[in-house]
Amino acid sequence: PCRAHGRASTTEGEQLRFSHARYKRAAEEIEIKILQWADQRRGMNAKRDILSMFVNGPDENGEPLSEDRLAGHILTIYAASFTSSVSSLIWSLFLLMQHPNIAHDLCDELDGSGIDPLSDGMKLLDLPLLDRVLKESMRLLTPVPYQVRRVTRDAHPNGADLKPRDIVVIGSWATNRLASVYAEAERFKPDRWLEMDSNTYDYLTFSAGPRRCVGYGLAMIMVKITLASILLKRRPNLVPNARIDTQVAVTLRSKQPIPVVMADHNAKIVRSSVHGTVTNHYAL
């Protein structure tokens, strides 16, 4: 410690040590709670319960997962599903506010369905326009723009020489915008999914194949329930001339809070002009 202007202060190194100590204590507390939670699921056979699947499932050698791996996987699954879901919800609402006709069609579908998202949320999976809107928003403003994989064995894709432990970065953002696959790839066109299949390697929002995100189903129903709950009660409108700059911090996010007015259910959604880097990512 040193004295400056009569007040005690700490060096940058000491501040970092204090921050690390707080982080370590919080991590230990979270790990204890996760393992206590996992203990409650032991012996349960719930096929729709991701936590029970992890706790009771075997590792690659047929053995139960260690406590270290359980804690790591469970925290990653729930943190990833939350942050990616928040990103998906924000950008879906943003694109709907920029495309009022599509937004009103979706509101009509939700109003006409008679579904209460909080009590019958699973029924939202059967609403076709809601599904198309979310697929398209996650294609155009991909919540996780890139993914990282570690090579486990020698491989030679397209002539590349990959060795075990090499790191491969998968550009989901770029793949989701391939002009050879998506006509008018920069435009928000949910109806393109009437004739397309999202379960291919051309749509990498949640990766694909055996490494596809295990939280995909959970994330989709979370976003559908939340989006439907909002639109059944309110009509969102952007504040005119809002500045929205995008950045990537694992997920795609806005640097600034996005100013939105939540109007009455009977109000109209009207497109407002925006500026900032977000306008580089789509075309009206």
Side-chain angles (χ1 to χ4, degrees):
C2 63
R3 295 283 176 179
H5 304 293
R7 293 179 299 175
S9 63
T10 57
T11 66
E12 182 178 350
E14 288 172 325
Q15 290 175 346
L16 288 174
R17 285 196 294 275
F18 292 154
S19 296
H20 176 74
R22 287 195 298 269
Y23 178 85
K24 184 178 179 181
R25 285 197 301 271
E28 290 171 348
E29 292 173 2
I30 292 172
E31 181 174 343
I32 290 171
K33 291 184 182 299
I34 287 175
L35 293 177
Q36 289 174 343
W37 190 23
D39 283 340
Q40 297 174 5
R41 296 294 198 279
R42 294 193 187 281
M44 294 180 63
N45 182 22
K47 294 182 179 179
R48 299 179 67 88
D49 181 347
I50 294 177
L51 181 55
S52 295
M53 293 169 61
F54 269 107
V55 172
N56 297 296
D59 64 11
E60 63 273 20
N61 299 315
E63 300 294 330
L65 288 174
S66 66
E67 288 194 344
D68 285 345
R69 293 187 69 179
L70 266 179
H73 284 313
I74 291 171
L75 182 60
T76 299
I77 286 293
Y78 283 92
S81 65
F82 174 77
T83 54
S84 61
S85 296
V86 169
S87 177
S88 300
L89 177 64
I90 289 172
W91 297 120
S92 295
L93 280 168
F94 170 77
L95 288 168
L96 286 170
M97 289 184 287
Q98 290 289 281
H99 296 80
N101 290 338
I102 297 173
H104 288 133
D105 287 344
L106 177 57
C107 289
D108 289 343
E109 179 181 73
L110 292 169
D111 289 338
S113 72
I115 296 174
D116 179 354
L118 298 183
S119 61
D120 298 314
M122 294 302 293
K123 293 181 180 179
L124 294 171
L125 298 177
D126 298 325
L127 297 184
L129 182 55
L130 177 61
D131 191 63
R132 297 199 302 273
V133 162
L134 287 175
K135 283 179 181 176
E136 181 67 353
S137 68
M138 289 188 288
R139 179 197 69 81
L140 189 58
L141 295 176
T142 308
V144 183
Y146 68 92
Q147 300 153 26
V148 179
R149 297 289 184 269
R150 187 186 299 275
V151 178
T152 59
R153 59 179 181 272
D154 290 342
H156 307 280
N158 294 325
D161 186 19
L162 299 180
K163 299 296 183 182
R165 301 191 67 78
D166 283 349
I167 300 298
V168 176
V169 177
I170 302 170
S172 312
W173 180 278
T175 302
N176 284 351
R177 291 163 171 265
L178 288 173
S180 58
V181 178
Y182 301 101
E184 298 183 281
E186 302 299 316
R187 294 188 180 276
F188 180 62
K189 299 176 63 177
D191 283 352
R192 73 172 75 245
W193 296 103
L194 289 170
E195 300 177 355
M196 297 190 68
D197 180 9
S198 63
N199 296 314
T200 70
Y201 287 91
D202 296 327
Y203 183 73
L204 290 180
T205 296
F206 291 93
S207 192
R211 294 294 179 181
R212 188 179 187 181
C213 176
V214 70
Y216 166 73
L218 174 62
M220 285 296 289
I221 191 60
M222 285 170 60
V223 177
K224 286 185 176 182
I225 288 174
T226 309
L227 182 59
S229 297
I230 292 171
L231 295 179
L232 282 168
K233 293 184 178 181
R234 302 292 181 190
R235 296 292 183 261
N237 278 292
L238 278 169
V239 172
N241 299 314
R243 181 175 185 87
I244 303 174
D245 294 308
T246 56
Q247 65 178 7
V248 177
V250 180
T251 58
L252 182 70
R253 55 179 297 180
S254 172
K255 290 183 180 179
Q256 310 91 351
I258 300 177
V260 175
V261 175
M262 287 294 183
D264 182 80
H265 175 269
N266 296 318
K268 293 291 185 182
I269 297 174
V270 180
R271 186 173 70 85
S272 297
S273 59
V274 298
H275 62 287
T277 58
V278 71
T279 59
N280 300 329
H281 303 324
Y282 68 97
L284 291 172

